[in-house]
Amino acid sequence: LGAERDGHVSIGDLTEQLGDRTFGAVLFVFALVALIPMPPGGTTFTGAPLLLIAAQLAFGARTVWLPRFIKRQGLDAGVFNKGLSRLLPWLERVERFSRPRLGLLFGPVGDRLLGLVCTVLALIVVLPIPGGNVLPAAAVAVLAISLVLVDGVIALVGYA
């Protein structure tokens, strides 16, 4: 990706390089983080960025705004590349059957609706309910992929 600096890949570097797919990609990353099993209360911290980004999409923001301290966060480039190499086969499988369809689910109104649904789901993720983060975070991940791929069928799966 070319986002490496001193062996570190920051969230800020990634958001700058993703362009018009930033909202979907960032929502997807934070949804995956929110899927990690944690003790009660831990999801409050992993769900907060998810809530921040989903709300921005719901309000019609054109670019993702993140606080500077979150932009600086990231991973060691080796860890990032290893995780990416494990994730890519799954994403390639999704891309095989995915194509832009049901475009009416996207655009100014559709993106806001998707952002609103993701905001509600992120609110549930933030609640300290043991295991209560799994289904909402998974739904946000699916909706985020649909946003990146502009695939309404995947969006309908996420809404379901």
Side-chain angles (χ1 to χ4, degrees):
L1 284 172
E4 271 184 53
R5 283 195 190 140
D6 301 324
H8 182 78
V9 179
S10 75
I11 292 170
D13 291 335
L14 291 173
T15 58
E16 288 175 16
Q17 292 190 3
L18 291 169
D20 63 344
R21 296 180 180 214
T22 302
F23 271 106
V26 173
L27 276 172
F28 181 72
V29 168
F30 283 114
L32 289 180
V33 171
L35 278 168
I36 297 170
M38 297 189 169
T43 57
T44 302
F45 298 106
T46 60
L50 194 61
L51 182 59
L52 173 70
I53 294 158
Q56 290 176 48
L57 184 60
F59 283 111
R62 295 202 161 280
T63 58
V64 174
W65 176 86
L66 294 170
R68 197 172 301 153
F69 76 92
I70 291 178
K71 282 184 169 182
R72 285 186 292 219
Q73 299 302 311
L75 292 170
D76 172 73
V79 172
F80 175 79
N81 290 330
K82 183 177 179 181
L84 191 61
S85 67
R86 295 177 98 187
L87 183 62
L88 280 176
W90 291 95
L91 292 177
E92 287 169 354
R93 287 181 192 145
V94 171
E95 282 186 327
R96 272 189 224 130
F97 74 86
S98 175
R99 62 183 179 278
R101 51 190 163 187
L102 298 176
L104 64 124
L105 294 176
F106 302 97
V109 174
D111 289 354
R112 284 181 176 210
L113 176 64
L114 193 142
L116 179 63
V117 169
C118 287
T119 300
V120 171
L121 292 169
L123 281 169
I124 296 168
V125 169
V126 169
L127 295 173
I129 302 168
N133 62 316
V134 176
L135 287 177
V140 171
V142 171
L143 289 168
I145 289 174
S146 77
L147 190 59
V148 170
L149 299 174
V150 193
D151 190 337
V153 171
I154 295 174
L156 291 174
V157 170
Y159 285 132

